[in-house]
Amino acid sequence: FGGEPNRRALEALSGTATLEALGAYAEENQELGHLRDYLAEIASTIDDGATERAASEFTRAFIGPAALPALPWGAPYKSGDPVMFQKGTLAVREAYRKHGMKPAHFQHVPDDHLALECNFMALLSAELLDSFESAKWDQARDAIIEQKAFLDQFMAGWVPSYARELSASHKAPFYGRLAAGAGAFILLDSIFLGEMLQWIEDVQDESLTRWDEMVANISGTSPLLREGLAAVSALEFKFADEYELSALS
């Protein structure tokens, strides 16, 4: 949602790792199963033409010059006012500020743009992984609380609506599918984070053996998570720098 796609990005989206990850959630959420099936279908058709069509869709969905088929920032879905930089936008900005971050193109792209909010969640996820790997459980618990609060307050209330509006426009079917998947995952991730928080609290009340089991499980899965985060970070998109977060100066 924050950069014009290229062939490498499309191949990553429809690759085995993505399909397996979506498959793991398919039983929990039908929309994510639909997205997996859609991406599996396009995997064999990715060529220069498909890349150009996806890039054209990105322009229509996020840049213009025609009116966007759906607004990819959150405040209008809460206020009913389509303008940028509303009260809700400032609340998201404050969440970034508390974490020492701000949009790289401050006051040029709305703080509550979907790409910026996704980038912020990716940063929080990486920090949570650091806490797990270093067995800093209190820090991990605080990170989970922070992630869930951001999802519930700033994303869950508008991304599914944005996805429905974008899909209904029929002007960007590829991004409509991705947005629908993102909306579904946001709602599911909020549930999982709540369960993870309860899991940590329960384990703290149990035996040292249970702690050892948890550490072993994290040690086995964290390299895969690191590999996935690195692969996503390595993807280069045109315009991506406009939707990045940077440290406060």
Side-chain angles (χ1 to χ4, degrees), residues 164-224:
R164 288 191 293 270
E165 190 170 322
L166 182 60
S167 296
S169 74
H170 302 294
K171 293 182 179 179
F174 175 69
Y175 279 97
R177 293 271 193 164
L178 294 182
F185 182 76
I186 285 166
L187 300 178
L188 193 59
D189 194 30
S190 177
I191 295 173
F192 286 162
L193 287 169
E195 293 175 348
M196 189 183 301
L197 181 62
Q198 186 62 53
W199 177 60
I200 289 178
E201 292 175 347
D202 288 345
V203 171
Q204 286 181 318
D205 294 332
E206 296 184 12
S207 67
L208 182 61
T209 300
R210 185 77 184 276
W211 278 102
D212 291 341
E213 291 174 354
M214 184 168 68
V215 172
N217 183 58
I218 293 169
S219 298
T221 58
S222 62
L224 295 175

Side-chain angles (χ1 to χ4, degrees), residues 33-53:
H34 292 330
L35 179 59
R36 176 201 57 192
D37 295 342
Y38 171 73
L39 293 175
E41 287 178 6
I42 70 171
S44 62
T45 64
I46 295 175
D47 55 19
D48 291 342
T51 303
E52 290 176 4
R53 289 191 295 275

